[in-house]
Amino acid sequence: MVDFELSEEQVMVRDMARAFAQRELAPFAAAWDRESRFPAAAVAKMGPLGLMGVFVPTDWGGAGFDTVSYVVAMEEISAACASTGTIMSVNNSLTCDPVLKFGDQAQKQRFLAPMAQGKTLGCFALSEPGNGSDAGAAKCTARLSEDGSHYVVNGTKNWITNGPDADTCVLFASTNPDLKNKGISAFVHELPIEGLTVGAHERKLGIKASSTSQLVYDNVKLPVSRRLGQEGDGFKIAMSTLDGGRIGIAAQALGIGRAAYEASLKYALEREAFGQPISRLQAIQFKLADMATRLDAARLLTFRAAILKDRKVRFTKEAAMAKLYASESASAIANQAIQVFGGNGYVEDFPVERHFRDARITEIYEGTSEIQRLVIAVNVIKELGGA
Ligand SMILES: Cc1cc2nc3c(=O)[nH]c(=O)nc-3n(C[C@H](O)[C@H](O)[C@H](O)COP(=O)(O)OP(=O)(O)OC[C@H]3O[C@@H](n4cnc5c(N)ncnc54)[C@H](O)[C@@H]3O)c2cc1C
C-alpha cells in the first residue's frame, strides 16, 4: 500500500515540533552559529516534548511515536536550526536506539530512560583519527581484566558530536584486535569518568552550535556490565545503529534544504530586477522548480526508509538511498539558494549562507556519500543474485 498522507498522530508531532522550532530555535540559530554556542537551554526544553526520545517506547521514558514521526520532527527542528538537529539526531538515533535494541534491562534503566527523557545527553564514539569510513579498523582497545570483572579502555575517538556536553557514551572498542571488525565490542558508559579526557571543541564549517571533540581514553575502567551485547557484537551494533541514523540525517538534510528553498521562494517574490520580481524570471523559476522536486523526492525516500524500519524489515539500502539523495539535494538546493539571493546570498545577514555550510556535513557524517553508494551498490548487486 502506498499512502502519501501523514496520520493524525504524525501531523500532531510535526506541528508540535514546528511550533517549538519556530519559537525557540529559528530566532536564535544565526547567533548560536556565529558564536559556536551549544543551545543548552533550548535542548533542555526538548526533553519534556518527547523530542529527545521520539521513537523510544513510553515504558523507557520516550515519546513512543513511530519513525515517520521522528522524521517529520527532525525536519522541523533542522529547518530552524541544523545544529540542534544534529544534537537531537545523535541522542535519538545513535545512543537511545542501540541501548533500546541491544541493552539489557539494567542498562536501559540506567542509561536509556534518562536520555529518552532529555535528562541526560548521549554521544556515539565510533570514528577514530585513523579511521572513519573503515570503522572496522578500530584501534581503540578494551582489554578484559584478569579477574574478568572489568575492561580497560585505551585509545582516541574522533569527531564525537555532543562529546563536550554528553553524560552518556555508546563506545566501540576492540576486545580482540586479531579478529578485526569481528573483534569490536560495544559499551555504554557515563561521562565524566576517570581516565577520560574530552578534547578541545573542533572549529567547523557548519553546524557550529553543535559540539564536536575527541574523547581520549587512558586506562578507563568499565565494568563488564557496561558491555552492550556480547563480545564481538560491536561492529554489527554500529552498522545497525547507522542504518537508523541515516534516516535521521536524511530528515536533517530535508529540513536544511527546505529552509533554503523557502527562503529562496520568499526572496524571489520580493526582490525586483529589471522592473519585476525575480520570481517572474524563468531562470529563477527553474531553480525553484528543481529545489521543490528534489525536496519531494528526498522526503518520499526518507519516509519509505522510515516505514520499512517500523515494519522491522531490512532497510539498509533504502536508508542509504534516502541519506545519499537528501544530503546531496540539501547541498544542491542551498547552493542554488545562494544564486537566487545574489550578493545577499553570500553574507551572514541572510540565512542561506548558513544553510549552505550546514548542508555539507550531511554528505559526510554517518557514512560519506561514497560509502552510501557502496552500500547501495552491494545491495542492488546482491538483489540481482550477484556476488
Ligand atoms: C562534524 C562531524 C561530526 C561527526 N560526528 C561523529 C560522531 O558523533 N561519532 C562518530 O563516531 N563519528 C563522527 N563523525 C565522523 C564521520 O562519521 C567521519 O568523518 C566519516 O565517516 C568519514 O570518515 P573520515 O573522516 O575518516 O574519512 P575517510 O574515511 O578518511 O574518507 C576520506 C575520503 O575517502 C573516501 N572513501 C573512504 N573509503 C572509501 C571507499 N571504500 N570507497 C570509496 N570512497 C571511500 C570517503 O568517502 C572520503 O571522501 C563526525 C564527523 C564530523 C565532521
Short mmCIF file of all heavy atoms in Angstrom, two decimals, residues 274-337:
data_model
loop_
_atom_site.label_atom_id
_atom_site.label_comp_id
_atom_site.label_asym_id
_atom_site.label_seq_id
_atom_site.Cartn_x
_atom_site.Cartn_y
_atom_site.Cartn_z
N PHE A 274 15.18 44.53 -13.05
CA PHE A 274 14.64 44.94 -14.35
C PHE A 274 13.13 45.18 -14.27
O PHE A 274 12.35 44.76 -15.13
CB PHE A 274 14.97 43.90 -15.44
CG PHE A 274 16.45 43.75 -15.64
CD1 PHE A 274 17.17 42.77 -14.97
CD2 PHE A 274 17.16 44.62 -16.47
CE1 PHE A 274 18.54 42.64 -15.13
CE2 PHE A 274 18.53 44.49 -16.63
CZ PHE A 274 19.22 43.51 -15.96
N GLY A 275 12.72 45.80 -13.14
CA GLY A 275 11.33 46.25 -13.01
C GLY A 275 10.31 45.18 -12.67
O GLY A 275 9.10 45.42 -12.76
N GLN A 276 10.77 44.00 -12.27
CA GLN A 276 9.80 42.95 -11.89
C GLN A 276 10.42 42.02 -10.84
O GLN A 276 11.64 41.93 -10.74
CB GLN A 276 9.37 42.14 -13.12
CG GLN A 276 10.53 41.46 -13.81
CD GLN A 276 10.11 40.61 -15.01
OE1 GLN A 276 8.93 40.39 -15.22
NE2 GLN A 276 11.07 40.14 -15.77
N PRO A 277 9.54 41.35 -10.08
CA PRO A 277 10.10 40.39 -9.11
C PRO A 277 10.91 39.32 -9.85
O PRO A 277 10.49 38.89 -10.93
CB PRO A 277 8.85 39.77 -8.45
CG PRO A 277 7.72 40.65 -8.81
CD PRO A 277 8.07 41.37 -10.07
N ILE A 278 12.02 38.91 -9.26
CA ILE A 278 12.85 37.91 -9.96
C ILE A 278 12.13 36.56 -10.09
O ILE A 278 12.51 35.74 -10.91
CB ILE A 278 14.25 37.73 -9.29
CG1 ILE A 278 14.11 37.28 -7.83
CG2 ILE A 278 15.09 39.00 -9.41
CD1 ILE A 278 15.45 36.82 -7.22
N SER A 279 11.04 36.37 -9.31
CA SER A 279 10.25 35.13 -9.45
C SER A 279 9.60 35.04 -10.83
O SER A 279 9.16 33.97 -11.24
CB SER A 279 9.16 35.05 -8.38
OG SER A 279 8.28 36.15 -8.51
N ARG A 280 9.53 36.16 -11.56
CA ARG A 280 8.95 36.12 -12.92
C ARG A 280 9.99 35.67 -13.96
O ARG A 280 9.65 35.40 -15.10
CB ARG A 280 8.43 37.51 -13.31
CG ARG A 280 7.33 38.02 -12.41
CD ARG A 280 6.06 38.35 -13.21
NE ARG A 280 5.02 38.83 -12.30
CZ ARG A 280 4.76 40.11 -12.10
NH1 ARG A 280 5.42 41.04 -12.76
NH2 ARG A 280 3.83 40.47 -11.25
N LEU A 281 11.24 35.60 -13.55
CA LEU A 281 12.30 35.21 -14.49
C LEU A 281 12.36 33.68 -14.57
O LEU A 281 12.45 33.00 -13.53
CB LEU A 281 13.66 35.75 -14.04
CG LEU A 281 13.75 37.28 -13.82
CD1 LEU A 281 15.07 37.64 -13.17
CD2 LEU A 281 13.58 38.00 -15.16
N GLN A 282 12.36 33.18 -15.77
CA GLN A 282 12.34 31.72 -15.91
C GLN A 282 13.60 31.07 -15.30
O GLN A 282 13.53 29.97 -14.74
CB GLN A 282 12.21 31.33 -17.38
CG GLN A 282 11.73 29.91 -17.54
CD GLN A 282 11.52 29.53 -18.98
OE1 GLN A 282 12.41 29.73 -19.81
NE2 GLN A 282 10.36 29.01 -19.29
N ALA A 283 14.70 31.79 -15.40
CA ALA A 283 15.96 31.25 -14.83
C ALA A 283 15.80 30.99 -13.33
O ALA A 283 16.30 29.99 -12.80
CB ALA A 283 17.10 32.23 -15.06
N ILE A 284 15.08 31.87 -12.65
CA ILE A 284 14.86 31.70 -11.21
C ILE A 284 13.76 30.66 -10.98
O ILE A 284 13.87 29.80 -10.09
CB ILE A 284 14.48 33.07 -10.58
CG1 ILE A 284 15.61 34.09 -10.76
CG2 ILE A 284 14.10 32.90 -9.09
CD1 ILE A 284 16.91 33.79 -10.07
N GLN A 285 12.73 30.70 -11.80
CA GLN A 285 11.64 29.72 -11.65
C GLN A 285 12.17 28.28 -11.77
O GLN A 285 11.77 27.39 -11.02
CB GLN A 285 10.58 29.94 -12.73
CG GLN A 285 9.76 31.20 -12.53
CD GLN A 285 8.81 31.46 -13.68
OE1 GLN A 285 8.84 30.78 -14.71
NE2 GLN A 285 7.96 32.46 -13.51
N PHE A 286 13.08 28.06 -12.71
CA PHE A 286 13.61 26.70 -12.90
C PHE A 286 14.39 26.25 -11.66
O PHE A 286 14.36 25.08 -11.30
CB PHE A 286 14.50 26.65 -14.15
CG PHE A 286 13.72 26.53 -15.44
CD1 PHE A 286 12.35 26.75 -15.47
CD2 PHE A 286 14.35 26.20 -16.63
CE1 PHE A 286 11.62 26.65 -16.65
CE2 PHE A 286 13.64 26.08 -17.81
CZ PHE A 286 12.27 26.31 -17.84
N LYS A 287 15.09 27.18 -11.05
CA LYS A 287 15.82 26.82 -9.82
C LYS A 287 14.82 26.39 -8.74
O LYS A 287 15.01 25.40 -8.05
CB LYS A 287 16.66 27.99 -9.30
CG LYS A 287 17.84 28.35 -10.20
CD LYS A 287 18.72 29.37 -9.52
CE LYS A 287 19.60 30.11 -10.52
NZ LYS A 287 20.34 29.25 -11.46
N LEU A 288 13.75 27.19 -8.60
CA LEU A 288 12.74 26.87 -7.58
C LEU A 288 12.07 25.52 -7.88
O LEU A 288 11.81 24.73 -6.98
CB LEU A 288 11.69 27.99 -7.50
CG LEU A 288 12.25 29.36 -7.06
CD1 LEU A 288 11.19 30.45 -7.21
CD2 LEU A 288 12.74 29.31 -5.61
N ALA A 289 11.83 25.27 -9.16
CA ALA A 289 11.21 24.00 -9.56
C ALA A 289 12.11 22.82 -9.21
O ALA A 289 11.66 21.80 -8.67
CB ALA A 289 10.91 24.02 -11.06
N ASP A 290 13.39 22.96 -9.50
CA ASP A 290 14.34 21.88 -9.18
C ASP A 290 14.42 21.66 -7.67
O ASP A 290 14.46 20.51 -7.20
CB ASP A 290 15.75 22.22 -9.71
CG ASP A 290 15.83 22.10 -11.22
OD1 ASP A 290 14.92 21.50 -11.82
OD2 ASP A 290 16.80 22.62 -11.81
N MET A 291 14.44 22.75 -6.92
CA MET A 291 14.51 22.63 -5.45
C MET A 291 13.28 21.88 -4.93
O MET A 291 13.40 20.95 -4.13
CB MET A 291 14.52 24.03 -4.81
CG MET A 291 15.77 24.83 -5.02
SD MET A 291 15.56 26.43 -4.17
CE MET A 291 16.99 27.32 -4.75
N ALA A 292 12.09 22.30 -5.38
CA ALA A 292 10.85 21.69 -4.88
C ALA A 292 10.80 20.21 -5.24
O ALA A 292 10.39 19.37 -4.43
CB ALA A 292 9.65 22.43 -5.45
N THR A 293 11.24 19.87 -6.44
CA THR A 293 11.19 18.47 -6.89
C THR A 293 12.17 17.62 -6.09
O THR A 293 11.84 16.52 -5.63
CB THR A 293 11.53 18.40 -8.40
OG1 THR A 293 10.65 19.29 -9.08
CG2 THR A 293 11.36 17.00 -8.94
N ARG A 294 13.37 18.13 -5.89
CA ARG A 294 14.37 17.39 -5.10
C ARG A 294 13.85 17.14 -3.68
O ARG A 294 14.02 16.06 -3.12
CB ARG A 294 15.67 18.19 -5.02
CG ARG A 294 16.63 17.94 -6.17
CD ARG A 294 17.93 18.65 -5.86
NE ARG A 294 18.98 18.42 -6.82
CZ ARG A 294 19.86 17.40 -6.75
NH1 ARG A 294 19.78 16.53 -5.77
NH2 ARG A 294 20.81 17.28 -7.64
N LEU A 295 13.22 18.18 -3.10
CA LEU A 295 12.74 18.03 -1.73
C LEU A 295 11.68 16.95 -1.63
O LEU A 295 11.69 16.12 -0.72
CB LEU A 295 12.15 19.36 -1.22
CG LEU A 295 13.16 20.40 -0.74
CD1 LEU A 295 12.45 21.69 -0.36
CD2 LEU A 295 13.95 19.86 0.47
N ASP A 296 10.74 16.97 -2.57
CA ASP A 296 9.68 15.95 -2.53
C ASP A 296 10.25 14.55 -2.71
O ASP A 296 9.86 13.62 -2.01
CB ASP A 296 8.63 16.23 -3.62
CG ASP A 296 7.51 17.13 -3.10
OD1 ASP A 296 7.67 17.68 -1.99
OD2 ASP A 296 6.50 17.29 -3.81
N ALA A 297 11.18 14.41 -3.65
CA ALA A 297 11.77 13.09 -3.89
C ALA A 297 12.54 12.63 -2.65
O ALA A 297 12.44 11.47 -2.23
CB ALA A 297 12.70 13.16 -5.11
N ALA A 298 13.28 13.53 -2.04
CA ALA A 298 14.05 13.19 -0.83
C ALA A 298 13.11 12.79 0.30
O ALA A 298 13.36 11.83 1.05
CB ALA A 298 14.93 14.37 -0.41
N ARG A 299 12.00 13.53 0.42
CA ARG A 299 11.06 13.23 1.51
C ARG A 299 10.44 11.84 1.31
O ARG A 299 10.31 11.06 2.26
CB ARG A 299 9.98 14.31 1.59
CG ARG A 299 9.17 14.25 2.87
CD ARG A 299 8.21 15.41 3.03
NE ARG A 299 8.88 16.65 3.34
CZ ARG A 299 9.01 17.68 2.50
NH1 ARG A 299 8.52 17.61 1.27
NH2 ARG A 299 9.62 18.78 2.88
N LEU A 300 10.08 11.52 0.08
CA LEU A 300 9.47 10.21 -0.18
C LEU A 300 10.46 9.08 0.11
O LEU A 300 10.10 8.06 0.71
CB LEU A 300 8.97 10.13 -1.64
CG LEU A 300 7.77 11.03 -1.95
CD1 LEU A 300 7.43 10.98 -3.43
CD2 LEU A 300 6.55 10.63 -1.12
N LEU A 301 11.72 9.26 -0.29
CA LEU A 301 12.73 8.23 0.00
C LEU A 301 12.91 8.07 1.51
O LEU A 301 13.08 6.96 2.03
CB LEU A 301 14.08 8.63 -0.62
CG LEU A 301 14.24 8.41 -2.13
CD1 LEU A 301 15.55 9.04 -2.61
CD2 LEU A 301 14.23 6.92 -2.46
N THR A 302 12.86 9.19 2.22
CA THR A 302 13.09 9.16 3.67
C THR A 302 11.89 8.49 4.37
O THR A 302 12.07 7.66 5.27
CB THR A 302 13.34 10.59 4.20
OG1 THR A 302 14.36 11.18 3.40
CG2 THR A 302 13.78 10.58 5.65
N PHE A 303 10.70 8.85 3.94
CA PHE A 303 9.51 8.20 4.52
C PHE A 303 9.53 6.69 4.26
O PHE A 303 9.20 5.89 5.12
CB PHE A 303 8.23 8.79 3.93
CG PHE A 303 7.82 10.13 4.52
CD1 PHE A 303 6.80 10.87 3.94
CD2 PHE A 303 8.45 10.66 5.64
CE1 PHE A 303 6.40 12.10 4.47
CE2 PHE A 303 8.08 11.89 6.17
CZ PHE A 303 7.06 12.61 5.59
N ARG A 304 9.92 6.31 3.04
CA ARG A 304 9.95 4.86 2.73
C ARG A 304 10.89 4.14 3.68
O ARG A 304 10.55 3.09 4.24
CB ARG A 304 10.38 4.63 1.28
CG ARG A 304 10.43 3.15 0.95
CD ARG A 304 10.85 2.88 -0.46
NE ARG A 304 12.26 3.20 -0.70
CZ ARG A 304 12.95 2.83 -1.77
NH1 ARG A 304 12.35 2.14 -2.73
NH2 ARG A 304 14.22 3.15 -1.92
N ALA A 305 12.09 4.69 3.87
CA ALA A 305 13.05 4.03 4.76
C ALA A 305 12.49 3.96 6.18
O ALA A 305 12.62 2.94 6.87
CB ALA A 305 14.38 4.78 4.74
N ALA A 306 11.83 5.04 6.62
CA ALA A 306 11.27 5.08 7.98
C ALA A 306 10.17 4.04 8.14
O ALA A 306 10.09 3.34 9.17
CB ALA A 306 10.73 6.48 8.28
N ILE A 307 9.32 3.92 7.13
CA ILE A 307 8.21 2.95 7.21
C ILE A 307 8.77 1.52 7.26
O ILE A 307 8.31 0.69 8.04
CB ILE A 307 7.25 3.16 6.02
CG1 ILE A 307 6.48 4.47 6.22
CG2 ILE A 307 6.28 1.98 5.87
CD1 ILE A 307 5.76 4.98 4.98
N LEU A 308 9.79 1.25 6.46
CA LEU A 308 10.39 -0.09 6.47
C LEU A 308 11.00 -0.39 7.84
O LEU A 308 10.90 -1.50 8.36
CB LEU A 308 11.46 -0.22 5.38
CG LEU A 308 10.93 -0.22 3.94
CD1 LEU A 308 12.09 -0.28 2.95
CD2 LEU A 308 9.98 -1.38 3.69
N LYS A 309 11.64 0.63 8.44
CA LYS A 309 12.24 0.42 9.77
C LYS A 309 11.14 0.03 10.77
O LYS A 309 11.31 -0.90 11.56
CB LYS A 309 12.97 1.68 10.23
CG LYS A 309 13.59 1.56 11.62
CD LYS A 309 14.51 2.74 11.93
CE LYS A 309 15.26 2.56 13.24
NZ LYS A 309 14.53 2.98 14.43
N ASP A 310 10.03 0.75 10.71
CA ASP A 310 8.94 0.44 11.64
C ASP A 310 8.33 -0.94 11.38
O ASP A 310 7.81 -1.57 12.29
CB ASP A 310 7.85 1.52 11.57
CG ASP A 310 8.28 2.78 12.32
OD1 ASP A 310 9.15 2.66 13.20
OD2 ASP A 310 7.76 3.86 12.01
N ARG A 311 8.38 -1.38 10.13
CA ARG A 311 7.87 -2.73 9.81
C ARG A 311 8.84 -3.81 10.22
O ARG A 311 8.58 -4.99 10.05
CB ARG A 311 7.61 -2.85 8.31
CG ARG A 311 6.36 -2.14 7.88
CD ARG A 311 6.04 -2.52 6.44
NE ARG A 311 5.05 -1.62 5.90
CZ ARG A 311 4.93 -1.31 4.63
NH1 ARG A 311 5.74 -1.86 3.74
NH2 ARG A 311 4.00 -0.47 4.23
N LYS A 312 10.00 -3.39 10.72
CA LYS A 312 11.04 -4.31 11.18
C LYS A 312 11.51 -5.25 10.07
O LYS A 312 11.78 -6.43 10.29
CB LYS A 312 10.58 -5.10 12.42
CG LYS A 312 10.16 -4.18 13.55
CD LYS A 312 10.25 -4.83 14.89
CE LYS A 312 9.76 -3.96 16.02
NZ LYS A 312 10.14 -2.57 15.98
N VAL A 313 11.58 -4.71 8.85
CA VAL A 313 12.20 -5.45 7.76
C VAL A 313 13.52 -4.73 7.43
O VAL A 313 13.75 -3.62 7.89
CB VAL A 313 11.30 -5.54 6.50
CG1 VAL A 313 10.04 -6.32 6.81
CG2 VAL A 313 10.95 -4.15 5.96
N ARG A 314 14.36 -5.37 6.64
CA ARG A 314 15.67 -4.79 6.33
C ARG A 314 15.50 -3.48 5.55
O ARG A 314 14.72 -3.42 4.58
CB ARG A 314 16.46 -5.81 5.52
CG ARG A 314 17.93 -5.58 5.53
CD ARG A 314 18.65 -6.76 4.87
NE ARG A 314 19.87 -6.29 4.22
CZ ARG A 314 21.00 -6.00 4.85
NH1 ARG A 314 21.08 -6.18 6.14
NH2 ARG A 314 22.06 -5.58 4.19
N PHE A 315 16.22 -2.45 5.97
CA PHE A 315 16.06 -1.15 5.30
C PHE A 315 17.42 -0.49 5.03
O PHE A 315 17.49 0.70 4.77
CB PHE A 315 15.17 -0.21 6.15
CG PHE A 315 15.74 0.08 7.51
CD1 PHE A 315 16.48 1.23 7.73
CD2 PHE A 315 15.56 -0.79 8.57
CE1 PHE A 315 17.02 1.51 8.97
CE2 PHE A 315 16.11 -0.52 9.83
CZ PHE A 315 16.85 0.62 10.02
N THR A 316 18.48 -1.30 5.07
CA THR A 316 19.84 -0.76 4.89
C THR A 316 19.97 0.02 3.59
O THR A 316 20.46 1.16 3.57
CB THR A 316 20.85 -1.93 4.90
OG1 THR A 316 20.73 -2.60 6.16
CG2 THR A 316 22.27 -1.46 4.70
N LYS A 317 19.54 -0.58 2.48
CA LYS A 317 19.68 0.06 1.16
C LYS A 317 18.82 1.33 1.10
O LYS A 317 19.27 2.38 0.64
CB LYS A 317 19.25 -0.92 0.06
CG LYS A 317 19.35 -0.34 -1.34
CD LYS A 317 18.74 -1.26 -2.39
CE LYS A 317 17.23 -1.20 -2.36
NZ LYS A 317 16.58 -2.01 -3.39
N GLU A 318 17.59 1.21 1.59
CA GLU A 318 16.66 2.34 1.48
C GLU A 318 17.12 3.52 2.35
O GLU A 318 16.95 4.68 1.98
CB GLU A 318 15.24 1.89 1.88
CG GLU A 318 14.59 0.96 0.86
CD GLU A 318 15.06 -0.48 0.92
OE1 GLU A 318 15.85 -0.83 1.84
OE2 GLU A 318 14.66 -1.28 0.05
N ALA A 319 17.71 3.21 3.52
CA ALA A 319 18.22 4.29 4.37
C ALA A 319 19.41 4.97 3.69
O ALA A 319 19.56 6.20 3.73
CB ALA A 319 18.62 3.75 5.74
N ALA A 320 20.27 4.17 3.05
CA ALA A 320 21.43 4.74 2.36
C ALA A 320 20.97 5.61 1.19
O ALA A 320 21.52 6.69 0.95
CB ALA A 320 22.35 3.62 1.87
N MET A 321 19.96 5.13 0.45
CA MET A 321 19.43 5.93 -0.68
C MET A 321 18.85 7.25 -0.18
O MET A 321 19.08 8.31 -0.78
CB MET A 321 18.33 5.14 -1.41
CG MET A 321 18.84 4.03 -2.28
SD MET A 321 17.42 3.18 -3.02
CE MET A 321 18.23 2.26 -4.33
N ALA A 322 18.09 7.18 0.90
CA ALA A 322 17.46 8.39 1.44
C ALA A 322 18.54 9.38 1.88
O ALA A 322 18.48 10.57 1.56
CB ALA A 322 16.56 8.03 2.62
N LYS A 323 19.54 8.89 2.59
CA LYS A 323 20.60 9.78 3.10
C LYS A 323 21.41 10.36 1.94
O LYS A 323 21.69 11.56 1.91
CB LYS A 323 21.49 8.99 4.06
CG LYS A 323 22.32 9.88 4.97
CD LYS A 323 23.78 9.72 4.76
CE LYS A 323 24.62 10.57 5.66
NZ LYS A 323 25.93 10.88 5.09
N LEU A 324 21.76 9.52 1.00
CA LEU A 324 22.54 9.98 -0.16
C LEU A 324 21.78 11.08 -0.91
O LEU A 324 22.31 12.16 -1.17
CB LEU A 324 22.82 8.80 -1.09
CG LEU A 324 23.49 9.15 -2.42
CD1 LEU A 324 24.90 9.67 -2.20
CD2 LEU A 324 23.52 7.94 -3.35
N TYR A 325 20.54 10.79 -1.24
CA TYR A 325 19.80 11.73 -2.09
C TYR A 325 19.43 13.00 -1.32
O TYR A 325 19.56 14.12 -1.85
CB TYR A 325 18.53 11.06 -2.65
CG TYR A 325 17.89 11.94 -3.69
CD1 TYR A 325 18.43 12.01 -4.98
CD2 TYR A 325 16.81 12.74 -3.39
CE1 TYR A 325 17.91 12.87 -5.93
CE2 TYR A 325 16.27 13.60 -4.33
CZ TYR A 325 16.82 13.65 -5.60
OH TYR A 325 16.29 14.50 -6.53
N ALA A 326 18.99 12.83 -0.09
CA ALA A 326 18.58 14.02 0.69
C ALA A 326 19.78 14.92 0.97
O ALA A 326 19.67 16.15 0.90
CB ALA A 326 17.92 13.59 1.99
N SER A 327 20.93 14.32 1.28
CA SER A 327 22.09 15.16 1.63
C SER A 327 22.63 15.87 0.40
O SER A 327 22.91 17.08 0.45
CB SER A 327 23.18 14.32 2.30
OG SER A 327 23.65 13.32 1.41
N GLU A 328 22.74 15.16 -0.72
CA GLU A 328 23.24 15.83 -1.94
C GLU A 328 22.23 16.87 -2.42
O GLU A 328 22.61 17.90 -2.98
CB GLU A 328 23.59 14.79 -3.01
CG GLU A 328 24.77 13.93 -2.56
CD GLU A 328 25.44 13.09 -3.63
OE1 GLU A 328 24.87 12.90 -4.73
OE2 GLU A 328 26.55 12.60 -3.37
N SER A 329 20.95 16.61 -2.18
CA SER A 329 19.92 17.60 -2.55
C SER A 329 20.01 18.83 -1.67
O SER A 329 19.88 19.96 -2.15
CB SER A 329 18.52 16.98 -2.45
OG SER A 329 18.38 16.00 -3.44
N ALA A 330 20.22 18.62 -0.38
CA ALA A 330 20.32 19.78 0.53
C ALA A 330 21.47 20.68 0.10
O ALA A 330 21.33 21.91 0.05
CB ALA A 330 20.53 19.30 1.97
N SER A 331 22.60 20.08 -0.24
CA SER A 331 23.75 20.88 -0.70
C SER A 331 23.43 21.59 -2.01
O SER A 331 23.73 22.78 -2.17
CB SER A 331 24.99 20.00 -0.89
OG SER A 331 25.56 19.70 0.35
N ALA A 332 22.81 20.87 -2.94
CA ALA A 332 22.49 21.47 -4.25
C ALA A 332 21.48 22.61 -4.08
O ALA A 332 21.60 23.66 -4.70
CB ALA A 332 21.94 20.39 -5.19
N ILE A 333 20.49 22.39 -3.23
CA ILE A 333 19.45 23.41 -3.02
C ILE A 333 20.05 24.65 -2.36
O ILE A 333 19.80 25.78 -2.78
CB ILE A 333 18.29 22.82 -2.16
CG1 ILE A 333 17.53 21.76 -2.95
CG2 ILE A 333 17.36 23.93 -1.67
CD1 ILE A 333 16.57 20.92 -2.12
N ALA A 334 20.87 24.43 -1.34
CA ALA A 334 21.47 25.57 -0.64
C ALA A 334 22.41 26.34 -1.57
O ALA A 334 22.49 27.57 -1.53
CB ALA A 334 22.20 25.09 0.61
N ASN A 335 23.09 25.60 -2.43
CA ASN A 335 23.98 26.24 -3.41
C ASN A 335 23.17 27.12 -4.36
O ASN A 335 23.51 28.28 -4.61
CB ASN A 335 24.73 25.13 -4.18
CG ASN A 335 25.83 25.68 -5.05
OD1 ASN A 335 26.42 26.71 -4.73
ND2 ASN A 335 26.10 25.02 -6.16
N GLN A 336 22.07 26.60 -4.87
CA GLN A 336 21.22 27.38 -5.78
C GLN A 336 20.53 28.52 -5.04
O GLN A 336 20.25 29.58 -5.63
CB GLN A 336 20.18 26.47 -6.45
CG GLN A 336 20.77 25.59 -7.53
CD GLN A 336 21.55 26.38 -8.59
OE1 GLN A 336 21.03 27.30 -9.20
NE2 GLN A 336 22.82 26.06 -8.75
N ALA A 337 20.25 28.31 -3.76
CA ALA A 337 19.61 29.37 -2.96
C ALA A 337 20.52 30.60 -2.92
O ALA A 337 20.06 31.74 -3.03
CB ALA A 337 19.31 28.87 -1.56
#
